[in-house]
Amino acid sequence: MPAARELLLDAAFAALGSRPWSGVRMVDVAAAAGVSRQTLYNEFGSKDGLARALVRRETEAFLAGVVRALAGPGPGADAGERCAAGALWILRTARVNPLVRAALTGCRGDRVPAAAAPADPTRRVPPGSAAARATPTPGGLADGVRDRVVEAVTAGTAGARGPARGAGGGAAGPAGDAGRPVGGVPWACEMAVRLTLSYVVAPVGPDDEAAADVARLVRALVGDGRGGGFT
């Protein structure tokens, strides 16, 4: 049987399917989980604490799903295939999970808790810090996705064809206006993530077509000759 904490988080998430967060009552969450209200407060302290824990759980599960999706194409997949697989997971998950969508975009409306869309959406924090363990900002969550994409693409490309161009940082191109290296696999992965997030905000057709756009972009940027262009 799941622990009381997980039962309570499940109940809180289920409640969001039928009412806005402002209408979710702690007593109802406890009852749905089959535990006392005191147990709920012992676990989370307050409704805000419950909201923060729920958002953390959903975003951590989302990032774990990104990793699984990136591994899905299997050995020998090129950077475009892996980024497309990751993009497809992101788009589909953001559509069905309002907490993930709010955490990625910073736009929460009135149906999800404020913890899902922090007041400073562009703030970045050092990995492993107390702030990083708190509710993620959209910028921080995008960085987390990018880092996982870079790791998966670099490992997959190295295994199939030797080290990826630009994978180690030194082979990347000149720095851009923001001082970050432009060119190579890490930069291509970041552009893939940014394009994917733009489709989360403003969908333009079926998810598989958006994922195909991501694949073409990455292939064009890494120069594998399969970019195909954009029309």
Side-chain angles (χ1 to χ4, degrees):
M1 179 178 178
R5 185 178 184 87
E6 286 303 309
L7 290 172
L8 288 162
L9 291 172
D10 289 343
F13 185 80
L16 279 174
S18 59
R19 72 202 78 164
W21 183 250
S22 60
V24 174
R25 301 193 310 160
M26 296 288 270
V27 63
D28 294 335
V29 171
V35 302
S36 69
R37 188 168 59 172
Q38 186 59 52
T39 298
L40 173 54
Y41 281 101
N42 288 344
E43 285 288 345
F44 302 105
S46 65
K47 188 175 179 181
D48 285 345
L50 173 63
R52 287 190 296 271
L54 181 59
V55 173
R56 281 196 301 272
R57 185 186 76 162
E58 295 303 309
T59 53
E60 287 169 3
F62 165 73
L63 289 172
V66 170
V67 172
R68 290 193 300 271
L70 291 165
D78 71 352
E81 289 175 277
R82 293 196 188 280
C83 288
L88 202 56
W89 165 263
I90 292 168
L91 293 169
R92 290 174 174 172
T93 304
R95 180 177 299 106
V96 301
N97 190 322
L99 294 179
V100 168
R101 181 180 176 84
L104 285 170
T105 65
C107 302
R108 68 181 179 89
D110 63 353
R111 292 201 60 82
V112 298
D120 186 3
T122 61
R123 183 169 62 95
R124 287 177 166 81
V125 296
S129 66
R133 293 190 296 272
T135 305
T137 64
L141 189 54
D143 286 349
V145 173
R146 178 207 59 208
D147 292 346
R148 287 159 176 79
V149 174
V150 170
E151 182 177 358
V153 168
T154 301
T157 307
R161 295 193 298 270
R165 187 169 63 88
D177 293 340
R180 291 181 296 177
V182 173
V185 167
W187 186 66
C189 291
E190 172 136 5
M191 294 305 100
V193 171
R194 298 297 169 183
L195 178 59
T196 301
L197 295 180
S198 78
Y199 288 146
V200 171
V201 175
V204 288
D207 292 342
D208 55 352
E209 291 183 7
D213 285 347
V214 170
R216 286 196 294 271
L217 172 68
V218 171
R219 287 168 182 150
L221 292 176
V222 301
D224 71 353
R226 297 175 60 188
F230 293 86
T231 57

